[in-house]
């Protein structure tokens, strides 16, 4: 008998209802999430992630921004700290100590994006992924950094990427994955390839193809129909996935899939 690896979910028919009914009601038991992101010219992603994490039922969410945003965001976003930035306003290499210290407080880390393009930030992110072994989710331009240099991802477990289909193509190319991922491929073929991809590399994948959000974890794949705009779904999905994952850390596939039962917000 062929192995069953494709699981189909709808908002009205969740695949894992037990996870929906057993969520922590007490905030003290609902986990701690660190959200990292932003640069001098953009901070929408971490702010959006924070709002979605609260809606998803996190116990405590904390945001870490570059100190170039201190004057702008110091009194706007609660539960916010700052780490050293470069002259151009992105996170600098000296921020590593703050990233690590803050992450050890948390049960999981979401690197939400709007990092900007900076060589120091690239080095910082690589060092952080190498030194921090716990749950990390990356989305938006944080994914762009690791598609350029995916090697740090291959030496760790507990990594979830919430990425566009174009970013998935770049990642597969950087990893020299032997099969082509194309925008016009049928969903059946994409599910088959992502099952193989997630067994070949220690990565959890959440991506969107047509009107389906796809989760792939260690060969298991789920699809959930979502009509959200392809340009705005990633941060909301990443925040909700991070919350559900840290609350169910030994049920990664189930948690990431169940997180999609909630409607994504912009």
């Amino acid at each position: 008998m062929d192995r069953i690896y494709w699981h189909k979910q709808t908002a009205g028919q969740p695949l894992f209802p037990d996870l929906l009914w057993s969520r922590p009601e007490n905030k003290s038991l609902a986990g701690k999430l660190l959200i990292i992101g932003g640069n001098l010219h953009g901070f929408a992603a971490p702010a959006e992630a924070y709002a979605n994490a609260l809606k998803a039922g996190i116990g405590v969410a904390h945001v870490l921004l570059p100190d170039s945003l201190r004057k702008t965001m110091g009194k706007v976003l609660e539960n916010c700290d700052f780490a050293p930035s470069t002259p151009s306003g992105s996170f600098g290499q000296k921020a590593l100590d703050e990233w690590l210290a803050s992450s050890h407080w948390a049960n999981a880390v979401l690197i939400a994006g709007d990092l900007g393009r900076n060589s120091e930030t690239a080095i910082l992110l690589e060092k952080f992924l190498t030194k921090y072994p716990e749950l990390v989710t990356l989305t938006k331009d944080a994914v762009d950094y690791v598609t350029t240099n995916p090697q740090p991802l291959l030496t760790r477990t507990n990594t979830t990427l919430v990425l566009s289909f174009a970013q998935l193509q770049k990642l597969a190319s950087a990893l020299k994955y032997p099969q082509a991922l194309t925008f016009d491929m049928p969903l059946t073929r994409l599910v088959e390839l992502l099952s193989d991809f997630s067994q070949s590399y220690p990565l959890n994948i959440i991506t969107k193809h047509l009107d389906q959000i796809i989760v792939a974890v260690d060969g298991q794949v789920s699809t959930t129909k979502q009509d959200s705009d392809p340009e705005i779904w990633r941060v909301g999905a990443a925040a909700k996935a991070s919350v559900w994952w840290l609350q169910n850390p030994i049920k990664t596939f189930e948690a990431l899939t169940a997180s999609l039962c909630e409607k994504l917000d912009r």
Side-chain angles (χ1 to χ4, degrees), residues 5-265:
Y5 60 84
W6 184 2
H7 311 270
K8 300 178 183 179
Q9 173 175 261
T10 65
Q13 194 169 22
L15 281 168
F16 306 106
D18 288 352
L19 265 65
L20 295 172
W21 315 139
S22 62
R23 304 202 67 201
E25 297 181 1
N26 190 321
K27 273 190 169 293
S28 66
L29 302 175
K32 297 176 286 187
L33 178 66
L34 173 66
I35 299 168
I36 299 175
N39 73 91
L40 177 61
H41 306 291
F43 47 82
E48 181 183 343
Y50 180 79
N52 276 279
L54 295 182
K55 290 177 182 177
I58 192 63
V60 181
H62 194 85
V63 181
L64 189 61
L65 301 170
D67 59 14
S68 58
L69 287 169
R70 188 183 298 273
K71 291 182 179 179
T72 305
M73 298 296 292
K75 297 182 180 180
V76 175
L77 194 64
E78 60 180 348
N79 290 339
C80 179
D81 277 328
F82 301 90
S85 60
T86 65
S88 63
S90 300
F91 282 110
Q93 290 189 62
K94 293 181 179 179
L96 181 61
D97 287 345
E98 280 82 356
W99 280 36
L100 290 171
S102 296
S103 66
H104 289 310
W105 160 85
N107 301 115
V109 175
L110 167 58
I111 305 179
D114 284 346
L115 297 175
R117 295 182 179 274
N118 190 282
S119 58
E120 278 203 45
T121 309
I123 295 169
L124 168 67
L125 183 56
E126 179 179 348
K127 289 182 177 178
F128 177 75
L129 292 173
T130 301
K131 291 178 178 292
Y132 182 67
E134 305 302 332
L135 311 185
V136 174
T137 301
L138 300 96
T139 194
K140 292 197 72 176
D141 62 357
V143 173
D144 293 330
Y145 280 100
V146 297
T147 56
T148 301
N149 176 25
Q151 293 309 308
L153 299 179
L154 304 183
T155 59
R156 72 185 316 275
T157 55
N158 298 322
T159 307
T160 295
L161 303 180
V162 182
L163 69 176
S164 68
F165 194 83
Q167 288 175 319
L168 178 62
Q169 288 179 313
K170 292 178 182 177
L171 177 63
S173 177
L175 291 170
K176 296 181 170 53
Y177 184 64
Q179 303 295 326
L181 302 174
T182 62
F183 281 98
D184 61 352
M185 67 172 26
L187 181 62
T188 302
R189 178 59 175 159
L190 178 58
V191 167
E192 178 185 359
L193 290 181
L194 285 178
S195 175
D196 176 71
F197 186 92
S198 63
Q199 291 180 88
S200 302
Y201 308 104
L203 300 171
N204 311 318
I205 299 294
I206 303 178
T207 192
K208 194 170 192 295
H209 182 62
L210 302 176
D211 62 350
Q212 300 284 336
I213 297 183
I214 305 166
V215 173
V217 177
D218 195 24
Q220 296 295 303
V221 180
S222 68
T223 54
T224 305
K225 187 173 181 179
Q226 288 274 7
D227 297 323
S228 54
D229 189 305
E231 294 302 317
I232 66 172
W233 71 275
R234 283 174 291 170
V235 173
K240 294 176 189 298
S242 296
V243 173
W244 281 77
W245 189 19
L246 71 84
Q247 292 175 350
N248 302 275
I250 63 173
K251 296 182 177 180
T252 300
F253 176 67
E254 295 90 334
L256 299 184
T257 299
S259 73
L260 297 172
C261 289
E262 297 183 331
K263 183 175 177 58
L264 299 175
D265 298 318

